Amino acid sequence: MNAPISSVKGIGEQKAKLFEKLDLCSLSDMLWFLPRAYCDYSKLTPVMALEHGQTAAARVTLSSEPKSAYPRKGFSIVTCNAMDETGSLQLVWYNQPYRRNSLKNGSTMLVMGRVDREKGLRFINPELSTALEPPGILPVYPLVAGLNQRLMRLAAKAALAACGQLKETLPEGFRRKYSLAEINFALQNAHFPEDDGSLERARERLFFEEALMFTLSLKLKRFEREAESGIPFKISEAEIARFISHMPFALTKPQERALDEIAADMRAGKPMNRILQGDVGSGKTVLALFVLYVAKLNGYQAALMAPTEILALQHEKSVLEFFKEDDVLLLRGGLPNKARQEALAKIASGEKRVIIGTHSLLQKDIEFENLGAVVADEQHRFGVRQRAAIAQKGAKTDVLIMSATPIPRTLSLVLYGDLDVSVLNGMPPGRQRVKTYFVPTSKRADMYDFLAKRLAAGEQAYIVCPLVEQSDEIPAISAKELYDELRTGPLNGRAIALLHGKQKASDKQAVLDAFSSGECEALVSTSVVEVGVNVPNATIMIIEDADRFGLAQLHQLRGRVGRGVKPSSCFLLSRAESDSTIERISYLTQTNDGFEIAQRDLELRGPGEFLGTRQHGESEYKLLSGAGMDTIKRAMDAANALFEGGADVNEREALVKLARAYYQSRVGEIALN
């Protein structure tokens, strides 16, 4: 099972490098790399019944000779027309020039691929089969350029053959109790299912086990933490009152409640491990400052980590309004070696008491004199592994993790099983509701005319695109395209700027400084402005191709406006035609409540949006992100039942042992006996 992917006949060293881009280095990796979809060739769809976005199969007759185009160096497009008795469509392959050799006008074949209706009815990168009989259910794997489904299936078959008969991991009685398939059956049918029922049973087994191990391991980690001793921080009611008096506004009731919970944690003499979930603009920064304040008051260092340098810079401004400049150090990326070493020396000696930076603060060469507390902002960028690494930077460090991405309650019990949870579900006084509008393509020009008038009136705007540069495969406008369109079109003569993640740090900062000062009126950007940008004069947020973003991310982007005294608006543009997509996006026009939006996203798109790598930053949990909510809830109930009276002792011991190994393989040791 440890044999390299290149050991598979037909996959050489060059192709193996492409597999590595998917983190597939060995046959074992391939075994656990499940298909993202399946196509059942026995369920052929008439051409005119094909729906946008689905993966489907159809029997078609080619109605033209294939054509090849090379729009730019290193990029090819092969197209061919096809039809059945109900209608016609186009077959399109990107960067697969060899496809032309297998296409002949008049031939009939089975095609399988992603349906696209954005530019007429098309199959994108379809698979072909000339078999007289449909070949059953075939797996569809995630790909990178240069790989195809044939090679992925070849590797999967080799992995299944190499594993032979794996030893069952779950106790037999436990499997019977929860109706779980045997492991070898599950893996075989997850890749190459015999039928729909076998596929359902296989995936349920694998997803259930991953959710169970994840839940159990965090539960064990929590037990371990509760047995530890920590720093008994001292903080009097008078000192808390003094802290609050320095705030320029009265705290909301949710802020007061969260502050009391954090103060109790820090006084308790056990390491605090708390997550603060708050909606966009709910006032989490106040609680972050409180943790830094308590640590410094007790003679300890405190660190504030952010996922991006943009957000770290924003936090520096907030911290410097509260702490003396001599106490604060911002550890920026890209420092010359001498300057970096001087900064590290000030941290190690304790000269600097409040340290701000990105997650680079977790690097081994950064040592603290007596780190007492850490605040990690935007938790969805800090996963389980990062949470474990944070606490290791100090002897018994208190940790507060903050997230502006609300998570539905049931999911939060799984994701944050090792943490205590505080919720900020209110908005500070004066924070305005952002009016949100869905804008169809036909109204796009009118919207930009409206924007030009608002800019002329002295307001500012964000304009967000899903791509940096144009893509022939993704029908969406890019930031660079839109920037050129606007500065020569509807915003000609206005001060606009371009911002995206591929720019140098110094260039990004120059653009942000210009926007913050008002020198720049409109900022055309990618989603890099999702967090850490605070410009009260910005009143308009425009999001192009909004269907390319999840609801939670759209809500985050919308939160960049509505921070000043002027009314603010958010415009969601989409060229999507499907009713379900339009309904999903339009939901944001009905509410500004991030927790309601998160619940809606969960209902519409499943837990993958929250459990995927964007949320917890751990690619090792990819099976968990594929699980349905019912499976996750069943696994969570099973984990809880193992620690209740009447649970089978042998089953519990076996599963706890598995959970320890699971956690260790992904994060580190669980020391609990």
Side-chain angles (χ1 to χ4, degrees):
M1 287 306 298
N2 292 323
I5 289 286
S6 59
S7 66
V8 178
K9 187 177 180 180
I11 300 177
E13 293 295 338
Q14 292 303 312
K15 291 295 183 186
K17 291 179 180 177
L18 298 177
F19 277 85
E20 287 179 15
K21 292 182 179 180
L22 294 168
D23 293 326
L24 301 175
C25 301
S26 69
L27 294 182
S28 179
D29 295 334
M30 190 69 218
L31 187 67
W32 298 98
F33 188 75
L34 298 191
R36 62 173 174 80
Y38 300 84
C39 195
D40 189 348
Y41 273 113
S42 66
K43 298 177 182 176
L44 301 180
T45 305
V47 165
M48 293 313 294
L50 294 170
E51 296 182 6
H52 177 75
Q54 75 174 137
T55 297
R59 190 190 301 274
V60 299
T61 299
L62 303 187
S63 56
S64 73
E65 293 295 340
K67 296 180 181 179
S68 297
Y70 298 88
R72 62 176 183 266
K73 186 177 180 180
F75 186 78
S76 68
I77 304 175
V78 174
T79 58
C80 186
N81 296 329
M83 60 185 294
D84 70 2
E85 61 273 13
T86 69
S88 59
L89 77 165
Q90 187 179 55
L91 310 178
V92 182
W93 291 271
Y94 295 107
N95 279 333
Q96 299 180 37
Y98 62 87
R99 289 289 186 182
R100 182 167 183 165
N101 301 329
S102 58
L103 303 171
K104 186 177 180 180
N105 188 12
S107 61
T108 297
M109 56 183 59
L110 298 170
V111 294
M112 176 195 74
R114 179 173 62 84
V115 180
D116 181 87
R117 283 183 171 270
E118 297 282 2
K119 298 179 181 179
L121 181 55
R122 304 187 299 167
F123 260 133
I124 304 297
N125 293 331
E127 292 291 305
L128 303 176
S129 174
T130 56
L132 295 177
E133 293 298 324
I137 303 175
L138 291 182
V140 180
Y141 296 93
L143 297 175
V144 294
L147 287 183
N148 57 42
Q149 295 298 337
R150 185 187 67 82
L151 285 174
M152 297 296 290
R153 291 170 192 150
L154 195 66
K157 287 180 179 178
L160 288 165
C163 78
Q165 289 294 304
L166 290 178
K167 182 180 178 181
E168 178 58 67
T169 51
L170 299 180
E172 185 176 349
F174 183 84
R175 281 200 298 110
R176 281 200 306 269
K177 182 177 181 180
Y178 292 97
S179 303
L180 300 174
E182 186 268 338
I183 186 62
N184 291 281
F185 174 92
L187 286 168
Q188 178 66 46
N189 282 275
H191 287 283
F192 297 97
E194 298 171 10
D195 50 45
D196 287 343
S198 298
L199 172 59
E200 185 177 347
R201 288 183 62 213
R203 288 171 69 86
E204 171 69 9
R205 154 63 199 258
L206 298 174
F207 293 154
F208 182 96
E209 184 173 7
E210 178 86 357
L212 177 69
M213 291 298 107
F214 185 88
T215 305
L216 272 178
S217 63
L218 292 191
K219 187 181 286 286
L220 291 172
K221 192 62 184 172
R222 187 185 184 106
F223 289 161
E224 178 188 71
R225 172 173 60 82
E226 289 174 350
E228 293 177 347
S229 60
I231 302 167
F233 289 101
K234 293 181 174 60
I235 177 75
S236 67
E237 293 303 319
E239 288 164 332
I240 293 176
R242 186 159 57 248
F243 169 83
I244 294 173
S245 70
H246 281 82
M247 296 298 111
F249 44 76
L251 300 189
T252 64
K253 291 297 182 184
Q255 283 177 317
E256 291 178 352
R257 182 179 65 242
L259 189 144
D260 288 342
E261 290 168 345
I262 291 168
D265 281 354
M266 298 188 78
R267 287 168 172 152
K270 296 181 180 295
M272 175 173 69
N273 273 272
R274 181 170 292 276
I275 181 163
L276 178 65
Q277 275 205 83
D279 205 347
V280 176
S282 58
K284 296 181 299 298
T285 303
V286 173
L287 286 310
L289 290 173
F290 180 70
V291 172
L292 306 182
Y293 169 74
V294 174
K296 184 175 178 297
L297 199 65
N298 282 262
Y300 287 87
Q301 289 174 298
L304 174 55
M305 296 196 307
T308 66
E309 196 155 295
I310 290 174
L311 186 52
L313 286 164
Q314 185 64 47
H315 280 312
E316 183 192 28
K317 292 180 181 178
S318 300
V319 169
L320 287 175
E321 291 174 2
F322 193 83
F323 293 98
K324 295 178 182 177
E325 186 173 349
D326 290 346
D327 290 330
V328 179
L329 184 146
L330 172 64
L331 189 62
R332 302 186 62 166
L335 285 175
N337 186 57
K338 183 179 179 182
R340 177 178 170 80
Q341 293 306 315
E342 289 175 352
L344 295 187
K346 291 177 181 178
I347 297 173
S349 68
E351 178 182 341
K352 296 296 183 179
R353 312 306 295 169
V354 179
I355 298 91
I356 305 164
T358 64
H359 57 262
S360 62
L361 288 179
L362 299 177
Q363 292 175 356
K364 289 183 179 180
D365 66 338
I366 300 176
E367 297 181 356
F368 295 82
E369 183 202 31
N370 62 343
L371 182 64
V374 173
V375 179
D377 199 3
E378 290 306 316
Q379 190 277 338
H380 64 267
R381 313 290 181 91
F382 294 103
V384 176
R385 178 171 293 172
Q386 287 86 349
R387 296 209 289 263
I390 291 170
Q392 293 171 5
K393 280 293 178 180
K396 295 170 182 177
T397 312
D398 276 20
V399 177
L400 177 70
I401 295 170
M402 304 195 300
S403 175
T405 303
I407 303 290
R409 182 179 179 277
T410 306
L411 264 183
S412 71
L413 293 174
V414 177
L415 276 179
Y416 309 138
D418 57 332
L419 303 173
D420 297 310
V421 180
S422 291
V423 175
L424 291 185
N425 52 4
M427 302 298 278
R431 187 67 194 257
Q432 298 187 45
R433 184 182 186 276
V434 179
K435 292 184 178 179
T436 306
Y437 307 90
F438 176 80
V439 182
T441 304
S442 60
K443 298 292 184 180
R444 185 172 183 269
D446 293 341
M447 186 210 63
Y448 276 113
D449 287 342
F450 169 79
L451 172 63
K453 293 175 183 176
R454 300 319 305 157
L455 297 182
E459 298 176 30
Q460 291 174 270
Y462 300 92
I463 309 167
V464 176
C465 302
L467 304 172
V468 175
E469 298 174 319
Q470 183 180 4
S471 168
D472 291 286
E473 297 188 50
I474 302 175
I477 196 165
S478 71
K480 288 183 177 180
E481 281 180 278
L482 185 60
Y483 174 70
D484 290 336
E485 175 191 331
L486 294 179
R487 67 193 179 106
T488 58
L491 300 187
N492 185 19
R494 306 241 63 96
I496 68 174
L498 176 65
L499 179 72
H500 56 79
K502 293 185 177 180
Q503 292 171 318
K504 294 179 181 177
S506 58
D507 292 339
K508 283 189 284 190
Q509 191 55 50
V511 170
L512 287 171
D513 288 344
F515 190 62
S516 297
S517 68
E519 179 184 340
C520 165
E521 298 172 279
L523 187 60
V524 181
S525 170
T526 58
S527 59
V528 294
V529 297
E530 182 182 348
V531 295
V533 183
N534 184 24
V535 180
N537 191 51
T539 59
I540 296 172
M541 167 62 72
I542 295 172
I543 305 174
E544 290 268 7
D545 292 299
D547 51 291
R548 298 284 168 180
F549 300 92
L551 289 184
Q553 191 173 21
L554 290 173
H555 181 58
Q556 281 275 345
L557 289 166
R558 175 171 62 180
R560 296 306 99 202
V561 297
R563 293 169 172 258
V565 296
K566 299 177 183 176
S568 295
S569 305
C570 175
F571 299 96
L572 305 172
L573 281 74
S574 175
R575 66 189 84 188
E577 298 176 356
S578 74
D579 292 340
S580 59
T581 301
I582 294 172
E583 180 187 357
R584 181 177 71 85
I585 300 169
S586 297
Y587 186 75
L588 273 86
T589 67
Q590 303 169 32
T591 180
N592 276 57
D593 188 317
F595 288 91
E596 288 183 14
I597 291 166
Q599 183 62 40
R600 183 66 169 176
D601 229 3
L602 178 63
E603 294 167 359
L604 291 174
R605 304 191 343 145
E609 169 72 8
F610 302 96
L611 295 169
T613 55
R614 183 175 178 271
Q615 294 301 326
H616 55 61
E618 306 290 351
S619 62
E620 292 90 340
Y621 301 109
K622 48 185 171 279
L623 287 188
L624 185 63
S625 65
M629 200 59 235
D630 289 344
T631 299
I632 291 171
K633 183 68 167 60
R634 281 211 317 141
M636 186 171 66
D637 290 343
N640 291 333
L642 286 170
F643 293 92
E644 295 173 358
D648 185 283
V649 175
N650 292 329
E651 281 185 8
R652 182 171 62 220
E653 288 182 356
L655 291 167
V656 164
K657 184 177 180 181
L658 282 173
R660 283 203 188 98
Y662 174 92
Y663 188 91
Q664 182 180 356
S665 68
R666 289 156 171 78
V667 184
E669 292 282 357
I670 295 179
L672 182 70
N673 292 321

